[in-house]
PDB file of all heavy atoms in Angstrom:
ATOM      1  N   ALA R1478     -16.098 -18.906   4.888  1.00 85.00           N
ATOM      2  CA  ALA R1478     -15.323 -17.675   4.310  1.00 85.00           C
ATOM      3  C   ALA R1478     -15.620 -16.551   5.023  1.00 85.00           C
ATOM      4  O   ALA R1478     -16.826 -16.170   5.183  1.00 85.00           O
ATOM      5  CB  ALA R1478     -15.508 -17.626   2.835  1.00 85.00           C
ATOM      6  N   VAL R1479     -14.623 -15.716   5.438  1.00 88.00           N
ATOM      7  CA  VAL R1479     -14.836 -14.449   6.169  1.00 88.00           C
ATOM      8  C   VAL R1479     -14.736 -13.227   5.217  1.00 88.00           C
ATOM      9  O   VAL R1479     -13.772 -13.237   4.482  1.00 88.00           O
ATOM     10  CB  VAL R1479     -13.843 -14.331   7.344  1.00 88.00           C
ATOM     11  CG1 VAL R1479     -13.975 -13.069   8.057  1.00 88.00           C
ATOM     12  CG2 VAL R1479     -13.970 -15.507   8.238  1.00 88.00           C
ATOM     13  N   LYS R1480     -15.557 -12.403   5.362  1.00 89.00           N
ATOM     14  CA  LYS R1480     -15.568 -11.121   4.589  1.00 89.00           C
ATOM     15  C   LYS R1480     -14.712 -10.082   5.372  1.00 89.00           C
ATOM     16  O   LYS R1480     -15.131  -9.709   6.419  1.00 89.00           O
ATOM     17  CB  LYS R1480     -16.870 -10.517   4.266  1.00 89.00           C
ATOM     18  CG  LYS R1480     -17.674 -11.351   3.222  1.00 89.00           C
ATOM     19  CD  LYS R1480     -18.982 -10.411   2.824  1.00 89.00           C
ATOM     20  CE  LYS R1480     -19.717 -11.192   1.746  1.00 89.00           C
ATOM     21  NZ  LYS R1480     -20.912 -10.356   1.266  1.00 89.00           N
ATOM     22  N   LEU R1481     -13.634  -9.685   4.749  1.00 88.00           N
ATOM     23  CA  LEU R1481     -12.809  -8.674   5.349  1.00 88.00           C
ATOM     24  C   LEU R1481     -12.932  -7.264   4.607  1.00 88.00           C
ATOM     25  O   LEU R1481     -12.401  -6.298   5.154  1.00 88.00           O
ATOM     26  CB  LEU R1481     -11.266  -9.128   5.354  1.00 88.00           C
ATOM     27  CG  LEU R1481     -10.999 -10.371   6.070  1.00 88.00           C
ATOM     28  CD1 LEU R1481      -9.538 -10.810   5.854  1.00 88.00           C
ATOM     29  CD2 LEU R1481     -11.327 -10.345   7.544  1.00 88.00           C
ATOM     30  N   GLY R1482     -13.532  -7.348   3.444  1.00 86.00           N
ATOM     31  CA  GLY R1482     -13.657  -6.149   2.574  1.00 86.00           C
ATOM     32  C   GLY R1482     -12.551  -6.161   1.590  1.00 86.00           C
ATOM     33  O   GLY R1482     -11.406  -6.696   1.904  1.00 86.00           O
ATOM     34  N   PRO R1483     -12.817  -5.556   0.430  1.00 87.00           N
ATOM     35  CA  PRO R1483     -11.716  -5.505  -0.587  1.00 87.00           C
ATOM     36  C   PRO R1483     -10.636  -4.668  -0.131  1.00 87.00           C
ATOM     37  O   PRO R1483     -10.779  -3.646   0.570  1.00 87.00           O
ATOM     38  CB  PRO R1483     -12.433  -4.829  -1.794  1.00 87.00           C
ATOM     39  CG  PRO R1483     -13.881  -4.904  -1.535  1.00 87.00           C
ATOM     40  CD  PRO R1483     -14.046  -5.009  -0.052  1.00 87.00           C
ATOM     41  N   TRP R1484      -9.418  -5.033  -0.502  1.00 90.00           N
ATOM     42  CA  TRP R1484      -8.209  -4.216  -0.234  1.00 90.00           C
ATOM     43  C   TRP R1484      -8.239  -2.953  -1.083  1.00 90.00           C
ATOM     44  O   TRP R1484      -8.362  -3.071  -2.257  1.00 90.00           O
ATOM     45  CB  TRP R1484      -6.803  -5.061  -0.481  1.00 90.00           C
ATOM     46  CG  TRP R1484      -5.656  -4.429   0.122  1.00 90.00           C
ATOM     47  CD1 TRP R1484      -5.008  -3.297  -0.367  1.00 90.00           C
ATOM     48  CD2 TRP R1484      -4.907  -4.867   1.246  1.00 90.00           C
ATOM     49  NE1 TRP R1484      -3.866  -3.014   0.367  1.00 90.00           N
ATOM     50  CE2 TRP R1484      -3.860  -3.939   1.276  1.00 90.00           C
ATOM     51  CE3 TRP R1484      -5.103  -5.962   2.017  1.00 90.00           C
ATOM     52  CZ2 TRP R1484      -2.824  -4.181   2.291  1.00 90.00           C
ATOM     53  CZ3 TRP R1484      -4.049  -6.102   3.079  1.00 90.00           C
ATOM     54  CH2 TRP R1484      -2.922  -5.220   3.154  1.00 90.00           C
ATOM     55  N   PRO R1485      -8.242  -1.834  -0.506  1.00 93.00           N
ATOM     56  CA  PRO R1485      -8.394  -0.552  -1.243  1.00 93.00           C
ATOM     57  C   PRO R1485      -7.235  -0.300  -2.152  1.00 93.00           C
ATOM     58  O   PRO R1485      -6.009  -0.660  -2.003  1.00 93.00           O
ATOM     59  CB  PRO R1485      -8.467   0.512  -0.061  1.00 93.00           C
ATOM     60  CG  PRO R1485      -7.691  -0.040   1.060  1.00 93.00           C
ATOM     61  CD  PRO R1485      -7.939  -1.501   0.966  1.00 93.00           C
ATOM     62  N   TYR R1486      -7.590   0.523  -3.185  1.00 96.00           N
ATOM     63  CA  TYR R1486      -6.552   1.033  -4.179  1.00 96.00           C
ATOM     64  C   TYR R1486      -6.077   2.308  -3.717  1.00 96.00           C
ATOM     65  O   TYR R1486      -6.782   3.258  -3.531  1.00 96.00           O
ATOM     66  CB  TYR R1486      -7.186   1.150  -5.608  1.00 96.00           C
ATOM     67  CG  TYR R1486      -6.287   1.781  -6.586  1.00 96.00           C
ATOM     68  CD1 TYR R1486      -5.054   1.256  -6.791  1.00 96.00           C
ATOM     69  CD2 TYR R1486      -6.788   2.909  -7.285  1.00 96.00           C
ATOM     70  CE1 TYR R1486      -4.298   2.011  -7.845  1.00 96.00           C
ATOM     71  CE2 TYR R1486      -5.967   3.624  -8.211  1.00 96.00           C
ATOM     72  CZ  TYR R1486      -4.764   3.071  -8.543  1.00 96.00           C
ATOM     73  OH  TYR R1486      -4.027   3.765  -9.517  1.00 96.00           O
ATOM     74  N   ASN R1487      -4.859   2.534  -3.402  1.00 97.00           N
ATOM     75  CA  ASN R1487      -4.204   3.650  -2.904  1.00 97.00           C
ATOM     76  C   ASN R1487      -2.782   3.784  -3.208  1.00 97.00           C
ATOM     77  O   ASN R1487      -1.884   3.529  -2.412  1.00 97.00           O
ATOM     78  CB  ASN R1487      -4.334   3.726  -1.278  1.00 97.00           C
ATOM     79  CG  ASN R1487      -4.050   5.079  -0.768  1.00 97.00           C
ATOM     80  OD1 ASN R1487      -3.257   5.779  -1.295  1.00 97.00           O
ATOM     81  ND2 ASN R1487      -4.655   5.374   0.464  1.00 97.00           N
ATOM     82  N   PRO R1488      -2.486   4.221  -4.436  1.00 97.00           N
ATOM     83  CA  PRO R1488      -1.022   4.413  -4.911  1.00 97.00           C
ATOM     84  C   PRO R1488      -0.105   5.283  -4.030  1.00 97.00           C
ATOM     85  O   PRO R1488       0.982   5.003  -3.831  1.00 97.00           O
ATOM     86  CB  PRO R1488      -1.165   4.783  -6.323  1.00 97.00           C
ATOM     87  CG  PRO R1488      -2.500   5.408  -6.420  1.00 97.00           C
ATOM     88  CD  PRO R1488      -3.360   4.699  -5.456  1.00 97.00           C
ATOM     89  N   LYS R1489      -0.728   6.288  -3.476  1.00 97.00           N
ATOM     90  CA  LYS R1489      -0.054   7.186  -2.542  1.00 97.00           C
ATOM     91  C   LYS R1489       0.520   6.405  -1.312  1.00 97.00           C
ATOM     92  O   LYS R1489       1.593   6.459  -0.933  1.00 97.00           O
ATOM     93  CB  LYS R1489      -0.907   8.390  -2.042  1.00 97.00           C
ATOM     94  CG  LYS R1489      -0.207   9.285  -1.151  1.00 97.00           C
ATOM     95  CD  LYS R1489      -1.111  10.527  -0.801  1.00 97.00           C
ATOM     96  CE  LYS R1489      -0.325  11.484   0.253  1.00 97.00           C
ATOM     97  NZ  LYS R1489      -1.138  12.550   0.677  1.00 97.00           N
ATOM     98  N   LYS R1490      -0.404   5.578  -0.731  1.00 97.00           N
ATOM     99  CA  LYS R1490      -0.039   4.728   0.426  1.00 97.00           C
ATOM    100  C   LYS R1490       1.047   3.768   0.043  1.00 97.00           C
ATOM    101  O   LYS R1490       1.971   3.388   0.778  1.00 97.00           O
ATOM    102  CB  LYS R1490      -1.265   4.021   0.968  1.00 97.00           C
ATOM    103  CG  LYS R1490      -1.027   3.110   2.160  1.00 97.00           C
ATOM    104  CD  LYS R1490      -0.667   3.817   3.395  1.00 97.00           C
ATOM    105  CE  LYS R1490      -0.628   2.899   4.502  1.00 97.00           C
ATOM    106  NZ  LYS R1490      -0.192   3.660   5.802  1.00 97.00           N
ATOM    107  N   ALA R1491       0.833   3.210  -1.267  1.00 97.00           N
ATOM    108  CA  ALA R1491       1.812   2.222  -1.707  1.00 97.00           C
ATOM    109  C   ALA R1491       3.373   2.882  -1.740  1.00 97.00           C
ATOM    110  O   ALA R1491       4.305   2.230  -1.325  1.00 97.00           O
ATOM    111  CB  ALA R1491       1.470   1.795  -3.056  1.00 97.00           C
ATOM    112  N   LYS R1492       3.360   4.098  -2.251  1.00 97.00           N
ATOM    113  CA  LYS R1492       4.708   4.760  -2.391  1.00 97.00           C
ATOM    114  C   LYS R1492       5.250   5.067  -0.870  1.00 97.00           C
ATOM    115  O   LYS R1492       6.489   4.872  -0.728  1.00 97.00           O
ATOM    116  CB  LYS R1492       4.623   6.084  -3.140  1.00 97.00           C
ATOM    117  CG  LYS R1492       4.232   5.929  -4.549  1.00 97.00           C
ATOM    118  CD  LYS R1492       4.149   7.312  -5.258  1.00 97.00           C
ATOM    119  CE  LYS R1492       3.858   7.108  -6.694  1.00 97.00           C
ATOM    120  NZ  LYS R1492       3.700   8.411  -7.407  1.00 97.00           N
ATOM    121  N   GLU R1493       4.372   5.427   0.017  1.00 97.00           N
ATOM    122  CA  GLU R1493       4.837   5.646   1.372  1.00 97.00           C
ATOM    123  C   GLU R1493       5.388   4.450   1.984  1.00 97.00           C
ATOM    124  O   GLU R1493       6.432   4.450   2.674  1.00 97.00           O
ATOM    125  CB  GLU R1493       3.623   6.212   2.217  1.00 97.00           C
ATOM    126  CG  GLU R1493       3.124   7.569   1.856  1.00 97.00           C
ATOM    127  CD  GLU R1493       1.869   8.035   2.612  1.00 97.00           C
ATOM    128  OE1 GLU R1493       1.415   7.152   3.350  1.00 97.00           O
ATOM    129  OE2 GLU R1493       1.479   9.134   2.458  1.00 97.00           O
ATOM    130  N   LEU R1494       4.698   3.232   1.837  1.00 97.00           N
ATOM    131  CA  LEU R1494       5.179   2.025   2.415  1.00 97.00           C
ATOM    132  C   LEU R1494       6.591   1.534   1.744  1.00 97.00           C
ATOM    133  O   LEU R1494       7.370   1.082   2.431  1.00 97.00           O
ATOM    134  CB  LEU R1494       4.170   1.020   2.197  1.00 97.00           C
ATOM    135  CG  LEU R1494       2.869   1.069   3.060  1.00 97.00           C
ATOM    136  CD1 LEU R1494       1.766   0.093   2.644  1.00 97.00           C
ATOM    137  CD2 LEU R1494       3.291   0.709   4.583  1.00 97.00           C
ATOM    138  N   LEU R1495       6.680   1.715   0.454  1.00 97.00           N
ATOM    139  CA  LEU R1495       7.929   1.434  -0.253  1.00 97.00           C
ATOM    140  C   LEU R1495       9.032   2.222   0.300  1.00 97.00           C
ATOM    141  O   LEU R1495      10.169   1.802   0.494  1.00 97.00           O
ATOM    142  CB  LEU R1495       7.784   1.650  -1.740  1.00 97.00           C
ATOM    143  CG  LEU R1495       6.885   0.582  -2.520  1.00 97.00           C
ATOM    144  CD1 LEU R1495       6.739   1.032  -3.988  1.00 97.00           C
ATOM    145  CD2 LEU R1495       7.518  -0.777  -2.426  1.00 97.00           C
ATOM    146  N   ALA R1496       8.815   3.606   0.596  1.00 97.00           N
ATOM    147  CA  ALA R1496       9.804   4.447   1.139  1.00 97.00           C
ATOM    148  C   ALA R1496      10.247   3.952   2.528  1.00 97.00           C
ATOM    149  O   ALA R1496      11.496   3.890   2.863  1.00 97.00           O
ATOM    150  CB  ALA R1496       9.298   5.854   1.147  1.00 97.00           C
ATOM    151  N   GLU R1497       9.263   3.616   3.311  1.00 97.00           N
ATOM    152  CA  GLU R1497       9.523   3.172   4.680  1.00 97.00           C
ATOM    153  C   GLU R1497      10.257   1.804   4.665  1.00 97.00           C
ATOM    154  O   GLU R1497      11.197   1.552   5.567  1.00 97.00           O
ATOM    155  CB  GLU R1497       8.124   2.836   5.476  1.00 97.00           C
ATOM    156  CG  GLU R1497       7.476   4.061   5.823  1.00 97.00           C
ATOM    157  CD  GLU R1497       6.077   3.731   6.494  1.00 97.00           C
ATOM    158  OE1 GLU R1497       5.933   2.550   6.938  1.00 97.00           O
ATOM    159  OE2 GLU R1497       5.184   4.622   6.618  1.00 97.00           O
ATOM    160  N   ALA R1498      10.105   1.033   3.600  1.00 96.00           N
ATOM    161  CA  ALA R1498      10.797  -0.245   3.536  1.00 96.00           C
ATOM    162  C   ALA R1498      12.194  -0.041   2.931  1.00 96.00           C
ATOM    163  O   ALA R1498      12.958  -0.969   2.860  1.00 96.00           O
ATOM    164  CB  ALA R1498       9.978  -1.274   2.714  1.00 96.00           C
ATOM    165  N   GLY R1499      12.542   1.157   2.515  1.00 96.00           N
ATOM    166  CA  GLY R1499      13.867   1.296   1.951  1.00 96.00           C
ATOM    167  C   GLY R1499      13.987   1.430   0.485  1.00 96.00           C
ATOM    168  O   GLY R1499      15.025   1.361  -0.087  1.00 96.00           O
ATOM    169  N   TYR R1500      12.786   1.568  -0.143  1.00 96.00           N
ATOM    170  CA  TYR R1500      12.754   1.568  -1.591  1.00 96.00           C
ATOM    171  C   TYR R1500      12.044   2.849  -2.019  1.00 96.00           C
ATOM    172  O   TYR R1500      10.952   2.723  -2.704  1.00 96.00           O
ATOM    173  CB  TYR R1500      12.087   0.276  -2.179  1.00 96.00           C
ATOM    174  CG  TYR R1500      12.673  -0.973  -1.653  1.00 96.00           C
ATOM    175  CD1 TYR R1500      12.194  -1.631  -0.509  1.00 96.00           C
ATOM    176  CD2 TYR R1500      13.783  -1.505  -2.341  1.00 96.00           C
ATOM    177  CE1 TYR R1500      12.811  -2.789  -0.091  1.00 96.00           C
ATOM    178  CE2 TYR R1500      14.367  -2.673  -1.973  1.00 96.00           C
ATOM    179  CZ  TYR R1500      13.921  -3.284  -0.814  1.00 96.00           C
ATOM    180  OH  TYR R1500      14.466  -4.508  -0.408  1.00 96.00           O
ATOM    181  N   PRO R1501      12.453   4.048  -1.835  1.00 96.00           N
ATOM    182  CA  PRO R1501      11.797   5.215  -2.155  1.00 96.00           C
ATOM    183  C   PRO R1501      11.714   5.355  -3.687  1.00 96.00           C
ATOM    184  O   PRO R1501      10.787   6.078  -4.171  1.00 96.00           O
ATOM    185  CB  PRO R1501      12.684   6.354  -1.578  1.00 96.00           C
ATOM    186  CG  PRO R1501      14.017   5.709  -1.441  1.00 96.00           C
ATOM    187  CD  PRO R1501      13.729   4.272  -1.150  1.00 96.00           C
ATOM    188  N   ASN R1502      12.542   4.753  -4.414  1.00 94.00           N
ATOM    189  CA  ASN R1502      12.498   4.850  -5.994  1.00 94.00           C
ATOM    190  C   ASN R1502      11.999   3.556  -6.520  1.00 94.00           C
ATOM    191  O   ASN R1502      12.247   3.311  -7.750  1.00 94.00           O
ATOM    192  CB  ASN R1502      13.972   5.180  -6.371  1.00 94.00           C
ATOM    193  CG  ASN R1502      14.481   6.525  -5.877  1.00 94.00           C
ATOM    194  OD1 ASN R1502      13.724   7.522  -5.929  1.00 94.00           O
ATOM    195  ND2 ASN R1502      15.685   6.610  -5.437  1.00 94.00           N
ATOM    196  N   GLY R1503      11.490   2.707  -5.748  1.00 94.00           N
ATOM    197  CA  GLY R1503      11.010   1.431  -6.216  1.00 94.00           C
ATOM    198  C   GLY R1503      12.074   0.404  -6.462  1.00 94.00           C
ATOM    199  O   GLY R1503      13.119   0.511  -5.869  1.00 94.00           O
TER     200      GLY R1503
END
């Protein structure tokens, strides 16, 4: 098993990615 590190919690980044994907309002 390879350690990659926990995926960080970042709601701001989540909103940015959703907007980039075409879902600015979720």
Side-chain angles (χ1 to χ4, degrees):
V1479 177
K1480 284 189 176 183
L1481 302 175
W1484 193 286
Y1486 171 57
N1487 190 336
K1489 181 180 178 181
K1490 179 69 173 177
K1492 291 180 180 179
E1493 292 174 354
L1494 286 168
L1495 287 173
E1497 289 178 16
Y1500 302 96
N1502 300 315

